[in-house]
Amino acid sequence: MLTKKGKYGLKAMVDLAQLQPGETAFITEIALRNNLPKKFLDTIMLELRNAGFLRSKKGPGGGYALARPASEIRVGQVIRTLDGPLAPIRCASRTAYEVCDDCSDPETCHVRRSMIVVRDAVADILDNMTLAQFAVSEREAAVAPLLSEAG
C-alpha cells in the first residue's frame, strides 16, 4: 500500500511536472495547491532532491523543479525512493528480502509465490509509467468531471 509519504511525494512531483520549462515552485505553493502538510512535504522534497529527482534554488526566483524531464522519471523509482520496495511482503521483495518467521520452505510457499506475481505486476506498471504520463492522467482525471458537466 502506498504510504502518505509516497502519495504526497507523487502529488508534489506531478505538480512540478506541470510547470512550464524553467519555472520553479516553493514548497509552500506546492503544499497549498495540493492540500499537503508543508512540514512533512519539506522532508519529502529533501529526500527526492537527495535522490536526484529534484533540484532546488534558494532566494528570489528560487524553489524546486524537476532535475530531469518528467518523461525520464519512472513512477516506480519515485515510490521506491520514498516507500521502499514494491513487494507487498518482505519475502517477495527483490531488494529487501527476508524469510518469514513462520515459513518452513520459502521456495514452495504459496503465499510468497502469489505475492511475487503481485510484485511483478505492480513493478511492471509503475516502472513503465513515466511521471509525464502520470501527470497527464492526473490532469485528465481532473478535467473529466468538468467535461461531463458541460456536455
Side-chain angles (χ1 to χ4, degrees):
M1 188 160 76
L2 191 64
T3 66
K4 283 187 178 182
K5 182 179 179 183
K7 182 179 177 182
Y8 294 171
L10 281 173
K11 285 185 170 204
M13 294 287 286
V14 166
D15 189 280
L16 293 173
Q18 294 173 339
L19 295 177
Q20 296 301 313
E23 194 177 359
T24 60
F26 288 107
I27 289 179
T28 305
E29 299 166 336
I30 298 167
L32 284 172
R33 282 194 295 259
N34 295 281
N35 196 28
L36 304 175
K38 185 200 170 297
K39 191 169 181 129
F40 191 25
L41 191 57
D42 281 330
T43 304
I44 295 167
M45 298 297 271
L46 183 60
E47 203 168 322
L48 291 168
R49 189 192 73 189
N50 290 340
F53 292 110
L54 302 177
R55 61 180 172 76
S56 63
K57 182 179 168 189
K58 293 185 180 197
Y64 278 95
L66 298 179
R68 55 187 195 267
S71 60
E72 295 177 15
I73 298 173
R74 302 285 171 183
V75 174
Q77 295 171 317
V78 175
I79 293 172
R80 283 186 191 91
T81 297
L82 297 172
D83 283 349
L86 299 176
I89 55 177
R90 287 268 186 208
C91 67
S93 176
R94 286 189 176 141
T95 58
Y97 175 82
E98 284 181 21
V99 177
C100 298
D101 295 337
D102 60 345
C103 190
S104 58
D105 184 11
E107 293 306 312
T108 60
C109 176
H110 295 289
V111 173
R112 178 175 179 267
R113 289 194 328 217
S114 297
M115 292 302 109
I116 288 172
V117 171
V118 170
R119 175 208 64 204
D120 290 347
V122 169
D124 187 51
I125 292 167
L126 297 176
D127 290 339
N128 287 299
M129 181 184 295
T130 67
L131 185 59
Q133 292 167 318
F134 196 80
V136 168
S137 65
E138 285 285 310
R139 202 174 311 124
E140 288 172 354
V143 172
L146 299 175
L147 294 176
S148 65
E149 288 174 13

